[in-house]
């Protein structure tokens, strides 16, 4: 039985993503209080895989996940799940929005509902929580200690913890989606499907003019499309950044392998975070001059030239 850690408690969108990933497969769920705790449990061998949020269509990358994957013992992404996000506001029986003094939720959720909050409860302050579900759980179990009287969470969390819904479908953006990744220890990779993503973190040798352009050119000249590019502080010194990148293709694709080899040569470090099927499932369009066949033909041509001098 596969043991999965996920950002808990029960009722989070992360649990929803996990349930979508495993479907009816036999598994065990291990809810943990933070992204770091879920990935640490994976690194230590307590669980076999972890499901964590990595990107939101409203707020962009989830910094806790990006930073946790960029440091520590290596891990790899083996899959991704896209979850449409719908929020509710909930409270203990008898509490109304008009009487709310504070609203508790995760920071990424707050970014998606603060427009609603400004109109529905302008008097309420924001209180950050570890997750949307923990906001509901703590309000239900420790109402006098949390510092807020309304929680923003997934509908399943409000129901699970017995809270009354005082605001339905409260997101400011109607098409918000969060991307979750399934993470494993680096002992296997999914096979190429023709609709894959590869995730890497690049570290520059030095901060200089044109340095980022030099890195990105390794993708451009090989016809590789990037689907996400974010800078993250390395925490070594002020102004020291690495670059977290998602790109189309699999490490076994010739064009991707060639790009990674060049990046390994010019970067201080390249952290490979996996090649895996993209959730969208759209086949990647590859220019004939950057196809596997084109790279193989070019290598064979060079080998023939080198044999002349051998």
């Amino acid at each position: 039985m596969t043991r999965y850690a996920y950002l808990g408690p029960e009722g989070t969108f992360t649990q929803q993503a996990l349930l979508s990933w495993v479907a009816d497969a036999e598994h065990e769920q291990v809810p943990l209080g933070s992204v770091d705790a879920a990935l640490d449990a994976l690194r230590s061998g307590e669980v076999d895989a972890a499901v964590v949020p990595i990107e939101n269509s409203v707020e962009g990358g989830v910094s806790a996940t990006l930073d946790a994957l960029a440091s520590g013992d290596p891990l790899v992404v083996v899959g991704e799940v896209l979850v449409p996000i719908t929020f509710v506001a909930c409270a203990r029986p008898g509490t109304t929005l008009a009487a709310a003094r504070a609203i508790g939720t995760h920071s990424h959720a707050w970014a998606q509902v603060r427009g609603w909050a400004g109109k529905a409860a302008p008097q309420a302050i924001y209180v950050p929580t570890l997750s949307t579900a923990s906001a509901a759980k703590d309000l239900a179990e420790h109402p006098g200690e949390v510092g807020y009287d309304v929680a923003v969470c997934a509908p399943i969390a409000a129901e699970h913890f017995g809270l009354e819904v005082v605001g339905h479908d409260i997101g400011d953006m109607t098409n918000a989606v969060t991307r979750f990744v399934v993470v494993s220890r680096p002992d296997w990779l999914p096979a190429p499907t023709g609709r894959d993503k590869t995730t890497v973190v690049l570290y520059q040798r030095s901060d200089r003019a044109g340095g980022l352009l030099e890195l990105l050119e390794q993708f451009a000249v090989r016809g590789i499309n990037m689907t996400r590019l974010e800078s993250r502080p390395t925490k070594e010194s002020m102004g020291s950044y690495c670059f977290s990148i998602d790109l189309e293709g699999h490490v076994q694709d010739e064009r991707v392998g060639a790009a990674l080899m060049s990046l390994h040569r010019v970067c201080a470090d390249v952290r490979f975070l996996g090649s895996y099927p993209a959730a969208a499932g759209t086949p990647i369009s590859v220019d004939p001059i950057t196809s596997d066949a084109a790279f193989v033909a070019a290598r064979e041509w060079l080998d023939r030239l080198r044999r002349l001098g051998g």
Side-chain angles (χ1 to χ4, degrees):
M1 179 185 295
T2 303
R3 287 169 53 85
Y4 288 90
Y6 71 93
L7 176 60
E10 292 179 305
T12 58
F13 290 107
T14 312
Q15 185 185 32
Q16 187 175 334
L18 170 56
L19 293 172
S20 176
W21 175 258
V22 298
D24 296 327
E26 188 175 355
H27 68 284
E28 181 180 346
Q29 299 179 24
V30 182
L32 292 171
S34 68
V35 168
D36 283 331
L39 296 182
D40 285 347
L42 176 59
R43 288 185 170 106
S44 69
E46 296 174 40
V47 296
D48 305 300
V51 178
V52 291
I54 195 170
E55 184 180 10
N56 179 268
S57 61
V58 176
E59 282 291 280
V62 179
S63 58
T65 301
L66 297 177
D67 292 348
L69 289 174
S71 59
D73 292 341
L75 297 170
V76 291
V77 177
V78 296
E80 66 176 13
V81 180
L82 302 179
V83 176
I85 302 301
T86 301
F87 294 107
V88 298
C90 59
R92 293 176 64 84
T95 302
T96 64
L97 283 173
R101 295 164 298 169
I103 298 174
T105 194
H106 188 269
S107 58
H108 273 246
W110 180 249
Q112 299 177 63
V113 303
R114 57 190 171 205
W116 164 86
K119 297 176 182 178
Q123 76 286 352
I125 62 171
Y126 164 56
V127 177
T129 63
L130 287 174
S131 69
T132 55
S134 68
K137 181 178 187 293
D138 292 345
L139 179 59
E141 297 178 357
H142 309 288
E145 303 174 15
V146 294
Y148 56 87
D149 36 27
V150 170
V152 170
C153 60
I156 188 176
E159 180 180 357
H160 181 81
F161 294 111
L163 297 172
E164 285 187 355
V165 174
V166 294
H168 292 271
D169 197 13
I170 63 175
D172 298 334
M173 305 295 292
T174 57
N175 298 316
V177 175
T178 294
R179 174 179 164 232
F180 297 84
V181 288
V182 183
V183 185
S184 175
R185 289 182 289 276
D187 48 16
W188 73 284
L189 285 175
T193 66
R195 51 179 182 83
D196 305 293
K197 281 183 181 177
T198 292
T199 300
V200 294
V201 181
L202 308 181
Y203 294 83
Q204 292 179 287
R205 291 188 182 277
S206 62
D207 182 17
R208 57 183 175 80
L212 177 58
L213 176 61
E214 180 182 33
L215 305 184
L216 301 185
E217 282 180 337
Q218 308 304 321
F219 302 125
V221 298
R222 295 172 177 88
I224 299 172
N225 183 46
M226 294 184 300
T227 59
R228 183 183 60 84
L229 167 62
E230 299 185 59
S231 62
R232 294 297 306 157
T234 64
K235 301 178 176 60
E236 294 178 354
S237 62
M238 181 66 72
S240 177
Y241 285 82
C242 59
F243 301 98
S244 179
I245 299 174
D246 291 335
L247 55 99
E248 291 182 342
H250 194 282
V251 66
Q252 292 189 22
D253 297 338
E254 292 285 344
R255 66 188 185 283
V256 175
L260 294 182
M261 283 194 294
S262 292
L263 288 166
H264 187 269
R265 176 177 53 83
V266 301
C267 290
D269 188 25
V270 177
R271 175 165 283 218
F272 174 73
L273 291 179
S275 292
Y276 48 94
T282 304
I284 298 170
S285 178
V286 180
D287 191 298
I289 65 172
T290 59
S291 66
D292 280 6
F295 275 91
V296 170
R299 186 166 57 247
E300 291 174 346
W301 171 79
L302 180 60
D303 288 342
R304 289 195 298 271
L305 295 181
R306 287 173 169 173
R307 283 196 295 270
L308 293 176

